[in-house]
């Protein structure tokens, strides 16, 4: 860990020592990251460089495709045929730019494609003109990034620490949260632990996929875990996709150095949501940390089009709100689990709390949870401590899903409270102040594997997370009375005011006549209302309507429906002692202000629940049976929610008044002491 921090700090210091004042701070990453990648790759090639150059000369003008032969000499899946490296470039300062470009061009095509993602060529002229290119190369030439000095895990930390600092300095990309390695380790343990016996046999071939792979950390940690702790002979193929060109390039470059480098070609660029880089592929294992609360509007059309395909696409279960695409990534992963008859698949995904509870019954989020739980894919959820991530202190949760549950887990979900499993870091990294120790990871893994209930583990039936949201209505009861105050209120009603507003656009004589006619009608209406007995309170709407109609008819005043509705509205108030209002067909009208909702557990009859929980407190209420679920057609909308904190809530009694009083007295005395010192 110290080695990682020292290297990261050294590379970061280059921004101050070399780039400051000449390159805009927002562009530092565009220079530092590609130079870090280039130095990492050339350190790997250093010991075979002479053999590659020699072989390249021998094959010159003899073979068109020299790639396999040169890769054989480099003992990697990439090579460089230039006589230069960063140290040798320093021997010819006058031609540093020309030689550096020639050096970059001498890399194999796969490396040139990686470097191109950084668009470093944009800055070469500027660096050279300001005499910075030589200085920059000299800095990087003195840092050893060979895998023997800096392992893959440490190198991943270096890249992520640099990216974190760049983002932090510019206050950019708040939704990008790089995954600390202990969280990845936790996910990997939960994902592979149950399959240890199977993976320990012979030389099994397995696939691992990450749809939001970033710098590739989850993929490389997975491979290391399986190789080091389960079976070194497991043939693990890695696949991933990343939307950010820079992190895509970093992931691909690191996988070039992993094993024989074959997996680098399995990393695809562009958005997973709108451009699936691995269509029609399924995988044994999948891990992901999708962006928290990231808007998916850019992918909207492609996602919505695929959602219309139903079960033939990835998003048939539903679409979450556009401000958060986490559940879209989860649906993608579920769609890519290997079929049960082919061995099935397992998924580990870390998300914030939103996917657990966001969205009411019938919403996209709720329907996705409903689909996942009804399909019995959800195996477990582990609540993690807060302040684990570099860029955010929020609490996160690991979801474990599979389509091949153990028999004991069928129809059930395990919830594990790991919020207390952390140790404080000696020195924080951004928002990261906590970390999970190896022993704590092992403890949580055993807790999951033992599948028992205790203080930190609960097991629930799938149906416990579902509910049926029923609409409760109560009758509309209005009393009516004409008062001076209500007459004044009528003057503010739009329908009443519009009587004196002409529909003609131009200022013509007809417009003036129309408005004058409307003003006369307004005065007539007000006169009629003033003539109605202001002491009488009408408890029945129909009775008041008859009195109003009669008064208008006697005065020869004719009004349209909108004006009459305005009058009835301002002359009324809700009154529990009034008669129930009915429509023209004799149906009871409901009171929109009293409309309420009840969430009834799925395993309970809604009518029995209503009689027990609602009827005693609202005898005139009823269930609105016109509101039904789109899928099952039954009364009420089905919803699913996983209110994690509710299950592990511990009641904390309020402090006693005596204790609070003592604290107040203590504070008062401290203030008096401070004031006394100030007076002296």
């Amino acid at each position: 860990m110290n080695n990682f921090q020292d290297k990261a700090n050294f590379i970061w210091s280059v921004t101050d020592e070399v780039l400051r004042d000449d390159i805009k701070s927002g562009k530092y990453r565009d220079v530092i990251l590609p130079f870090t990648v280039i130095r990492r790759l050339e350190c790997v090639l250093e010991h075979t460089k002479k053999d590659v150059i020699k072989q390249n000369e021998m094959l010159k003008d003899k073979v068109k495709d020299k790639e396999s032969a040169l890769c054989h000499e480099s003992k990697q899946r990439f090579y460089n045929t230039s006589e230069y490296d960063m140290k040798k470039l320093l021997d010819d300062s006058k031609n540093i730019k020309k030689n550096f470009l020639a050096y970059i061009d001498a890399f194999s095509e796969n490396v040139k494609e990686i470097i191109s993602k950084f668009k470093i060529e944009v800055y070469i002229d500027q660096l050279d003109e300001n005499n910075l290119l030589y200085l920059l190369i000299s800095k990087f030439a003195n840092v050893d990034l060979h895998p023997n000095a800096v392992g893959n895990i440490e190198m991943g930390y270096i890249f992520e620490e640099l990216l974190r600092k760049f983002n932090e300095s510019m206050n950019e990309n708040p939704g990008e949260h790089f995954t600390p390695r202990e969280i990845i380790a936790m996910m990997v343990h939960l994902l592979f632990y149950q399959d240890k016996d199977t993976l320990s046999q012979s030389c099994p071939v397995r696939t691992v996929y990450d749809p939001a792979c970033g710098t590739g950390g989850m993929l490389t940690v997975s491979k290391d875990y399986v190789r080091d702790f389960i079976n070194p002979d497991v043939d693990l193929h890695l696949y991933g996709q990343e939307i950010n060109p820079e992190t895509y390039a970093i992931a691909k470059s690191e996988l070039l150095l992993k094993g024989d480098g074959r997996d680098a070609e399995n990393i695809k660029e562009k958005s997973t949501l709108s451009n699936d880089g691995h269509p029609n592929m399924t995988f044994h294992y999948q891990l992901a940390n999708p962006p928290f609360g990231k808007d998916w509007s850019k992918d909207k059309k492609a996602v919505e089009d695929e959602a219309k395909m139903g079960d033939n696409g990835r998003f048939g279960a539903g679409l979450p709100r556009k401000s958060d695409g986490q559940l879209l990534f989860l649906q993608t992963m579920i769609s890519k689990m290997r079929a049960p008859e082919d061995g099935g698949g397992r998924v580990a995904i870390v998300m914030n709390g939103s996917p657990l509870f966001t969205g009411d019954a019938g919403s996209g989020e709720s329907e996705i949870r409903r689909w996942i739980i009804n399909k019995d894919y959800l195996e477990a959820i582990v609540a993690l401590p807060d302040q684990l991530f570099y860029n955010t202190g929020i609490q996160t949760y690991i979801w474990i899903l599979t389509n091949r549950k153990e028999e004991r887990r069928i129809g059930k979900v395990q919830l594990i409270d790991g919020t207390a499993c952390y140790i404080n870091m000696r020195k924080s990294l951004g928002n990261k102040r906590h970390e999970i120790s190896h022993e704590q990871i092992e403890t949580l893994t055993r807790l999951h594997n033992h599948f028992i209930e205790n203080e930190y583990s609960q097991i629930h039936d799938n149906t416990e997370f579902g509910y049926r949201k029923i609409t409760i209505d109560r009758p509309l009861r209005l009393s009516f009375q004409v008062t001076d105050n209500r007459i004044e209120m009528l003057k503010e009603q739009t329908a009443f005011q519009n009587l004196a507003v002409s529909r003609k656009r131009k200022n013509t004589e007809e417009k003036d006549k129309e408005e004058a006619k409307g003003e006369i009608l307004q005065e007539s209406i007000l006169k009629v209302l003033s003539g109605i007995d202001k002491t009488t309170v009408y408890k029945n709407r129909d009775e008041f309507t008859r009195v109003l109609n009669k008064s208008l008819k006697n005065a020869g005043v004719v009004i349209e429906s909108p004006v009459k509705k305005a009058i009835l509205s301002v002359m009324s108030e809700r009154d529990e002692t009034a008669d129930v209002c009915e429509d023209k067909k004799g149906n009871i009208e409901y009171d929109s202000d009293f409309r309420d909702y009840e969430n009834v557990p799925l395993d309970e009859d809604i009518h029995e629940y209503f009689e027990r929980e609602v009827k005693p407190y609202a005898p005139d209420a009823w269930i609105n049976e016109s509101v039904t679920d789109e899928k099952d057609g039954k009364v009420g909308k089905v919803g699913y929610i996983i209110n994690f904190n509710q299950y592990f809530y511990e009641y904390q009694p309020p402090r006693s008044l005596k204790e609070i009083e003592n604290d107040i007295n203590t504070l008062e005395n401290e203030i008096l002491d401070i004031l006394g010192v100030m007076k002296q």
Side-chain angles (χ1 to χ4, degrees):
M1 179 64 75
N2 290 334
N3 187 38
F4 128 70
Q5 196 67 62
D6 291 343
K7 302 283 187 184
N9 289 340
F10 173 81
I11 296 172
W12 177 253
S13 70
V14 175
T15 61
D16 277 336
E17 296 177 17
V18 179
L19 304 182
R20 184 176 293 277
D21 299 329
D22 292 287
I23 301 290
K24 291 182 179 179
S25 59
K27 303 299 182 182
Y28 288 171
R29 61 188 291 161
D30 299 342
V31 176
I32 295 299
L33 291 178
F35 270 81
T36 305
V37 169
I38 293 168
R39 179 57 181 161
R40 170 74 162 173
L41 295 176
E42 79 165 19
C43 285
V44 174
L45 297 176
E46 183 177 358
H47 297 298
T48 59
K49 189 70 175 288
K50 291 181 180 179
D51 295 333
V52 171
I53 294 173
K54 181 179 178 181
Q55 182 73 348
N56 186 51
E57 285 297 320
M58 287 177 59
L59 297 175
K60 191 175 182 180
D61 300 326
K62 295 180 181 180
V63 180
K64 287 186 178 181
D65 186 3
K66 299 181 285 186
E67 181 177 348
S68 59
L70 296 179
C71 285
H72 177 75
E73 293 298 328
S74 72
K75 296 179 174 54
Q76 304 291 334
R77 291 222 172 194
F78 63 99
Y79 55 85
N80 186 293
T81 57
S82 170
E83 63 182 25
Y84 292 109
D85 56 23
M86 287 192 173
K87 289 182 179 179
K88 289 183 179 179
L89 285 169
L90 301 176
D91 295 337
D92 186 2
S93 60
K94 292 182 179 180
N95 296 301
I96 189 78
K97 173 188 169 183
K98 183 184 73 172
N99 294 339
F100 179 71
L101 291 174
Y103 169 58
I104 296 300
D105 193 53
F107 273 108
S108 51
E109 291 300 322
N110 52 358
V111 171
K112 285 196 284 187
E113 189 255 343
I114 289 171
I115 296 173
S116 70
K117 298 300 176 182
F118 295 105
K119 296 180 171 55
I120 184 63
E121 66 277 1
V122 174
Y123 300 95
I124 296 300
D125 286 339
Q126 184 178 356
L127 290 168
D128 187 51
E129 289 169 4
N130 290 284
N131 297 316
L132 298 178
L133 184 58
Y134 181 92
L135 183 58
L136 186 63
I137 291 174
S138 68
K139 292 288 184 181
F140 276 94
N142 289 314
V143 59
D144 185 2
L145 297 181
H146 191 280
N148 291 339
V150 183
N152 286 85
I153 291 179
E154 286 185 319
M155 197 66 218
Y157 270 121
I158 290 174
F159 280 124
E160 291 178 4
E161 175 69 358
L162 291 173
L163 287 165
R164 182 190 68 79
K165 287 188 173 185
F166 288 133
N167 291 346
E168 190 178 70
S169 66
M170 294 302 296
N171 194 27
E172 290 182 344
N173 301 323
E176 293 183 5
H177 308 296
F178 301 112
T179 316
R181 285 304 190 270
E182 78 269 19
I183 295 180
I184 300 177
M186 180 80 257
M187 297 169 69
V188 168
H189 276 67
L190 294 170
L191 195 65
F192 289 100
Y193 191 85
Q194 291 186 358
D195 292 347
K196 288 179 72 174
D197 292 340
T198 304
L199 293 173
S200 297
Q201 299 173 9
S202 188
C203 303
V205 178
R206 294 292 185 270
T207 53
V208 182
Y209 170 68
D210 183 348
C213 68
T215 58
M218 288 197 176
L219 296 172
T220 56
V221 172
S222 296
K223 195 162 190 174
D224 289 341
Y225 174 79
V226 173
R227 181 194 62 196
D228 297 339
F229 298 103
I230 298 179
N231 181 1
D233 296 324
V234 174
D235 188 7
L236 213 60
H237 294 249
L238 308 180
Y239 295 80
Q241 188 161 348
E242 172 59 24
I243 189 172
N244 183 290
E246 295 168 346
T247 46
Y248 157 77
I250 292 171
K252 195 160 185 176
S253 66
E254 282 301 289
L255 285 181
L256 274 176
L257 309 180
K258 193 76 173 172
D260 60 5
R262 69 179 181 195
D263 294 327
E265 297 306 312
N266 297 334
I267 305 300
K268 306 299 180 182
E269 198 185 0
K270 297 185 179 180
S271 170
T272 300
L273 301 183
S274 56
N275 294 279
D276 185 1
H278 302 283
N280 305 316
M281 287 194 69
T282 57
F283 305 94
H284 295 93
Y285 302 100
Q286 299 177 68
L287 307 93
N289 170 25
F292 302 156
K294 186 173 182 179
D295 191 289
W296 52 276
S297 295
K298 291 181 179 179
D299 301 304
K300 181 175 181 291
K301 186 180 185 306
V303 169
E304 290 180 344
D305 287 346
E306 189 167 348
K308 294 174 184 176
M309 297 167 61
D311 293 339
N312 293 321
R314 291 175 290 168
F315 312 120
L319 299 179
R321 61 201 66 196
K322 288 192 287 293
S323 59
D324 189 356
Q326 291 178 94
L327 287 172
L328 294 178
F329 281 95
L330 179 54
Q331 287 186 81
T332 293
M333 298 171 81
I334 292 173
S335 74
K336 291 184 176 295
M337 287 194 295
R338 286 178 71 89
E341 58 268 24
D342 294 328
R346 289 179 63 76
V347 168
I349 183 171
V350 60
M351 300 185 285
N352 63 17
S354 178
L356 292 170
F357 51 77
T358 297
D360 200 359
S363 68
E365 293 88 351
S366 178
E367 286 298 291
I368 295 169
R369 289 190 292 268
R370 177 183 185 177
W371 173 72
I372 290 171
I373 294 175
N374 283 346
K375 288 284 188 179
D376 204 18
Y377 290 145
L378 185 57
E379 177 178 290
I381 298 177
V382 180
L384 299 176
D386 60 4
Q387 302 180 70
L388 288 177
F389 283 79
Y390 304 120
N391 290 17
T392 177
I394 63 175
Q395 192 157 6
T396 51
Y397 303 80
I398 297 174
W399 294 41
I400 303 297
L401 304 96
T402 183
N403 57 3
R404 53 175 176 89
K405 277 188 177 181
E406 298 173 287
E407 186 174 350
R408 60 178 179 163
R409 292 183 180 270
I410 292 175
K412 299 183 181 298
V413 175
Q414 184 179 12
L415 302 180
I416 298 174
D417 181 12
T419 55
C421 288
Y422 68 88
I423 56 176
N424 292 314
M425 297 176 63
R426 295 179 182 176
K427 183 179 180 182
S428 62
L429 292 173
N431 292 103
K432 182 174 175 58
R433 297 175 178 84
H434 298 155
E435 60 185 357
I436 308 175
S437 69
H438 176 73
E439 291 75 17
Q440 290 167 333
I441 290 174
E442 293 289 344
T443 298
L444 292 173
T445 303
R446 286 193 299 271
L447 199 58
H448 169 256
N449 190 55
H450 290 163
F451 195 59
I452 57 174
E453 290 195 281
N454 57 31
E455 183 181 356
Y456 303 103
S457 171
Q458 296 183 16
I459 300 169
H460 298 271
D461 291 335
N462 287 348
T463 54
E464 293 182 46
F465 302 106
Y467 62 91
R468 193 172 292 275
K469 181 181 179 181
I470 58 174
T471 303
I472 307 297
D473 282 330
R474 295 182 62 187
L476 180 64
R477 299 176 186 270
L478 299 173
S479 64
F480 297 80
Q481 184 179 14
V482 177
T483 66
D484 291 336
N485 184 48
R486 291 178 179 179
I487 290 174
E488 288 301 314
M489 289 171 59
L490 177 63
K491 296 177 182 179
E492 302 300 321
Q493 299 298 304
T494 301
F496 184 81
Q497 292 178 344
N498 285 344
L499 291 173
V501 177
S502 174
R503 295 180 181 178
K504 301 183 184 299
R505 294 185 177 180
K506 296 182 178 180
N507 293 320
T508 61
E509 185 177 345
E510 289 80 4
K511 180 179 180 180
D512 294 339
K513 287 181 179 180
E514 187 177 328
E515 292 179 346
K517 184 179 179 181
E519 291 173 357
I520 293 172
L521 180 56
Q522 286 177 329
E523 291 299 324
S524 299
I525 293 171
L526 297 175
K527 186 175 180 181
V528 168
L529 291 172
S530 297
I532 296 176
D533 184 9
K534 297 177 181 176
T535 63
T536 302
V537 177
Y538 299 88
K539 298 284 187 173
N540 184 283
R541 185 174 64 183
D542 291 341
E543 181 184 358
F544 177 74
T545 302
R546 286 193 292 271
V547 171
L548 176 62
N549 289 340
K550 184 177 180 181
S551 298
L552 290 169
K553 183 177 180 181
N554 291 340
V557 177
V558 179
I559 60 175
E560 295 181 355
S561 178
V563 180
K564 181 177 286 187
K565 286 182 179 179
I567 294 173
L568 292 175
S569 177
V570 298
M571 299 301 162
S572 66
E573 66 179 2
R574 283 171 173 76
D575 186 344
E576 288 291 311
T577 65
D579 295 341
V580 172
C581 296
E582 298 178 347
D583 61 20
K584 293 179 180 179
K585 295 181 179 180
N587 299 316
I588 296 175
E589 295 183 30
Y590 76 90
D591 191 333
S592 59
D593 282 2
F594 283 168
R595 171 165 278 187
D596 203 356
Y597 305 91
E598 292 286 334
N599 293 339
V600 183
L602 274 186
D603 56 2
E604 187 167 352
D605 183 86
I606 61 171
H607 299 288
E608 292 178 1
Y609 177 94
F610 174 77
E611 291 295 328
R612 184 183 72 250
E613 301 292 341
V614 179
K615 200 75 172 175
Y617 311 102
D620 58 354
W622 71 89
I623 299 175
N624 186 335
E625 298 194 356
S626 67
V627 180
T628 58
D629 186 75
E630 290 184 7
K631 284 190 170 64
D632 65 19
K634 296 180 181 180
V635 175
K637 292 186 175 182
V638 173
Y640 274 79
I641 185 172
I642 306 172
N643 195 337
F644 203 99
N645 293 335
Q646 172 185 312
Y647 294 108
F648 291 95
Y649 172 74
E650 291 185 10
Y651 173 72
Q652 298 291 337
R655 299 169 65 199
S656 66
L657 292 176
K658 184 66 176 176
E659 185 180 356
I660 295 173
E661 183 181 358
N662 290 339
D663 284 350
I664 293 174
N665 290 335
T666 300
L667 288 171
E668 288 179 344
N669 291 332
E670 290 177 356
I671 292 171
L672 290 173
D673 290 343
I674 293 172
L675 292 174
V677 172
M678 292 176 65
K679 287 180 180 180
Q680 295 175 3

